[in-house]
Amino acid sequence: MHSALLIDEVLQLIFDFCSDLPDTEPKWTYAQLARCCRAWKDPALDRLWDRLNGVGPLLALMAKQEEDGQQVALDTSVLRTYTDRVRRIAHHDELKNAATLHMPPAVFPRLESVALSFQGCTVPHQWALSPFLQHVSVNVGFSRDVQEVLDRSNAAARLLHDIHTYAPDLRSLQVRGRMTDLLNAAVASFTQLRSLTIQGNSSLAPETFAAVATFPHLQSLEVHAGHLQAETFLEIVHPGMSCFPALKELSIRTGGDLLSAILSRMPTGVLTKLHLDMDECVHGPSYMKPILALLAQKASTSLRELHIEDRTDLEELEVPSRPEETPHWYTTDVLAPLARMKHLHRVVLRDPDFSDADLEALSKWWPALAHLDLGTYDPETHVPEWKARLTPAAYGAVAKAFPGLESLSLPVLPPTGGVEGQQRMLSSLTLGEVPNPSVDAVAIVDTILTMFPSVRYLDCPTTEVTERFETVVRGRGRISA
């Protein structure tokens, strides 16, 4: 053996590289390494048993052999040499036949993360408990048998109740699927959480959401709250009390009224990342202007990332009665309050109502912007006549107006000639489908690399374009063959 392999730091680093092997190869590799020599056994077994997808491997060790009708179990001390190494486990199935009567209160005493899904929600508690737990994920799942779903949800709630007692330092919780009253109450009890995801659809109780709003250390929240009413939320929350005092990242599906109620109660200068998934509104997003003004008031100095999605179908927008008026969409007028957001680093707003000239205005609003995603071109999408359109000249406008931009996506294809402007910071570009690649692929790639010579990553569903791009940049020596 080479002497370098006797240095623990070197050996650990080499073993870590094995985890990047595809599919099941890391497990097989670690199993072989553990058999090589004593020096390699422990670090290899640590990685082999670090994460379990079910308890099958452990049950295999506990397999019993019939000897004259007697059952002989594996020695507990031998079993602990493996269970002590497990840090993460996913339970997908029931463990009706698992030998739990003689198991310790925590089968995996150093467990840090547990994922429960479908029937795995009913796992015996000792298979999911540990004082070191940091992350729990619950996916109740679906079933044609409604009672089965309710039983899973209640079983998960009872386990969370024990986890609350057994692992007081739990930091992260994810809950997906039907939430019974017991599960709502369990979630509301975890006041120490730093990160919380709730995808319970309409089963998330307003009392639970109001309780979550008071969690003093919560920094990240992802929640489906489209069914919750602003009036109910404000009635439950104590008047004058600040909500989400430590929240830095918020991803929420909701309507305008609840969003306004939430923002009005949030502290100033804390929120850094906001993802809005707005419910459908046939009147258009003009209601968003005062909400964005409130957002600017609360987070003009702190917000770094803003992502706005809207579920409204453009074809379903209400048409104004006056012929000189047009339906309302995301124009610079609606977004004007965001001009105060001078520290925005990333903006995602797919298919807005922008013209080429609007891009220059955006550059003045957001001088620190590094990532701009306005969607991609789709030849199958119908664009209403009333809606403004970006033209291929928009790429030249971006090159001139955003000298610090690093990634870009526009709902229009680049020009095939007449290039104007050059920008040398852009490294990533996303395009939509190119309808006529046999004719335009070469010209589009040439335009991209002339206008943005530092681009190294091109994402495009049209194979001819990406292959042409890779050929050109490889020829220029910017990526390895």
Side-chain angles (χ1 to χ4, degrees):
M1 182 186 302
H2 194 284
S3 58
L5 295 178
L6 298 177
I7 303 174
D8 185 65
E9 292 81 358
V10 174
L11 185 64
Q12 298 283 359
L13 183 62
I14 293 174
F15 279 20
D16 283 343
F17 288 148
C18 295
S19 64
D20 295 330
L21 294 172
D23 301 326
T24 59
E25 288 188 32
K27 293 286 188 182
W28 181 87
T29 301
Y30 289 135
Q32 302 307 309
L33 291 172
R35 297 184 177 97
C36 287
C37 63
R38 291 183 179 179
W40 292 9
K41 180 179 180 180
D42 282 336
L45 287 179
D46 285 344
R47 288 161 176 80
L48 179 63
W49 286 87
D50 177 79
R51 180 174 184 174
L52 293 183
N53 187 24
V55 297
L58 187 62
L59 294 180
L61 285 178
M62 299 170 61
K64 301 169 184 178
Q65 301 175 348
E66 292 187 2
E67 295 182 359
D68 298 327
Q70 299 295 320
Q71 301 289 331
V72 180
L74 186 68
D75 185 86
T76 304
S77 63
V78 176
L79 191 65
R80 284 293 300 270
T81 64
Y82 299 98
T83 58
D84 283 1
R85 303 176 193 271
V86 178
R87 300 293 185 271
R88 296 171 291 173
I89 190 168
H91 292 290
H92 308 288
D93 305 306
E94 288 184 281
L95 297 181
K96 290 183 177 180
N97 299 321
T100 58
L101 294 177
H102 303 292
M103 299 302 291
V107 177
F108 308 107
R110 299 184 184 278
L111 193 65
E112 298 174 2
S113 174
V114 60
L116 312 171
S117 60
F118 292 79
Q119 292 297 337
C121 294
T122 63
V123 66
H125 293 190
Q126 60 260 58
W127 293 84
L129 289 177
S130 162
F132 297 99
L133 269 180
Q134 296 289 302
H135 173 75
V136 174
S137 175
V138 175
N139 183 0
V140 175
F142 301 95
S143 174
R144 294 181 179 179
D145 185 344
V146 176
Q147 188 58 49
E148 181 180 349
V149 174
L150 297 177
D151 290 343
R152 292 177 196 164
S153 186
N154 286 329
R158 288 188 288 269
L159 174 57
L160 288 177
H161 180 270
D162 282 357
I163 288 176
H164 187 272
T165 303
Y166 211 85
D169 295 326
L170 188 77
R171 299 175 64 88
S172 174
L173 175 63
Q174 295 179 344
V175 177
R176 290 180 170 85
R178 178 73 175 270
M179 296 176 66
T180 58
D181 291 344
L182 282 179
L183 188 51
N184 270 283
V187 171
S189 69
F190 283 94
T191 58
Q192 80 277 21
L193 290 176
R194 267 63 172 178
S195 176
L196 176 61
T197 296
I198 304 177
Q199 299 292 345
N201 297 321
S202 60
S203 62
L204 169 64
E207 293 80 7
T208 303
F209 184 71
V212 169
T214 67
F215 286 4
H217 309 295
L218 191 66
Q219 298 180 6
S220 176
L221 174 64
E222 180 180 347
V223 61
H224 185 309
H227 63 291
L228 299 179
Q229 300 299 314
E231 296 80 4
T232 305
F233 172 72
L234 293 175
E235 288 174 0
I236 298 173
V237 176
H238 191 277
M241 183 178 64
S242 177
C243 294
F244 303 108
L247 196 66
K248 295 182 178 181
E249 300 181 4
L250 173 62
S251 178
I252 183 170
R253 179 177 175 182
T254 183
D257 291 343
L258 181 61
L259 179 59
S260 180
I262 293 171
L263 290 174
S264 67
R265 294 296 190 94
M266 291 183 70
T268 300
V270 178
L271 192 66
T272 62
K273 185 177 180 179
L274 178 61
H275 183 163
L276 299 176
D277 185 355
M278 305 305 300
D279 286 335
E280 180 181 6
C281 179
V282 296
H283 303 297
S286 56
Y287 71 91
M288 286 289 289
K289 189 171 183 178
I291 295 176
L292 295 178
L294 183 56
L295 174 63
Q297 176 186 335
K298 293 290 185 175
S300 61
T301 61
S302 60
L303 199 67
R304 297 296 185 269
E305 298 186 22
L306 176 62
H307 185 157
I308 301 176
E309 294 183 65
D310 198 308
R311 293 177 176 265
T312 306
D313 188 337
L314 292 180
E315 299 294 334
E316 301 296 328
L317 282 177
E318 185 178 74
V319 178
S321 57
R322 297 181 181 180
E324 68 274 12
E325 295 182 354
T326 61
H328 299 287
W329 196 236
Y330 287 92
T331 63
T332 51
D333 178 64
V334 171
L335 300 172
L338 297 179
R340 295 177 56 187
M341 301 289 196
K342 301 300 182 183
H343 302 285
L344 273 177
H345 185 73
R346 181 187 300 272
V347 171
V348 179
L349 177 59
R350 306 279 166 74
D351 202 22
D353 198 352
F354 289 169
S355 66
D356 295 350
D358 292 330
L359 295 174
E360 183 177 355
L362 299 183
S363 70
K364 295 177 181 178
W365 293 359
W366 308 321
L369 197 67
H371 307 279
L372 179 62
D373 183 352
L374 301 181
T376 58
Y377 174 73
D378 183 355
E380 301 297 326
T381 299
H382 171 69
V383 181
E385 290 296 328
W386 54 263
K387 185 177 177 295
R389 294 170 173 81
L390 294 175
T391 72
Y395 286 87
V398 168
K400 294 177 182 178
F402 292 92
L405 203 65
E406 299 174 13
S407 70
L408 174 66
S409 179
L410 296 177
V412 64
L413 294 175
T416 56
V419 176
E420 293 184 10
Q422 189 178 73
Q423 199 261 34
R424 294 185 172 275
M425 286 295 293
L426 199 76
S427 61
S428 177
L429 181 63
T430 301
L431 301 180
E433 183 180 347
V434 178
N436 195 2
S438 61
V439 175
D440 296 332
V442 173
I444 286 178
V445 170
D446 288 346
T447 296
I448 291 171
L449 293 176
T450 300
M451 194 174 293
F452 306 106
S454 299
V455 170
R456 287 172 169 79
Y457 307 100
L458 178 65
D459 184 4
C460 178
T462 306
T463 305
E464 292 90 336
V465 174
T466 54
E467 289 180 347
R468 172 64 182 176
F469 175 79
E470 292 171 0
T471 298
V472 174
V473 295
R474 186 180 297 115
R476 295 184 181 185
R478 289 218 301 265
I479 62 175
S480 58

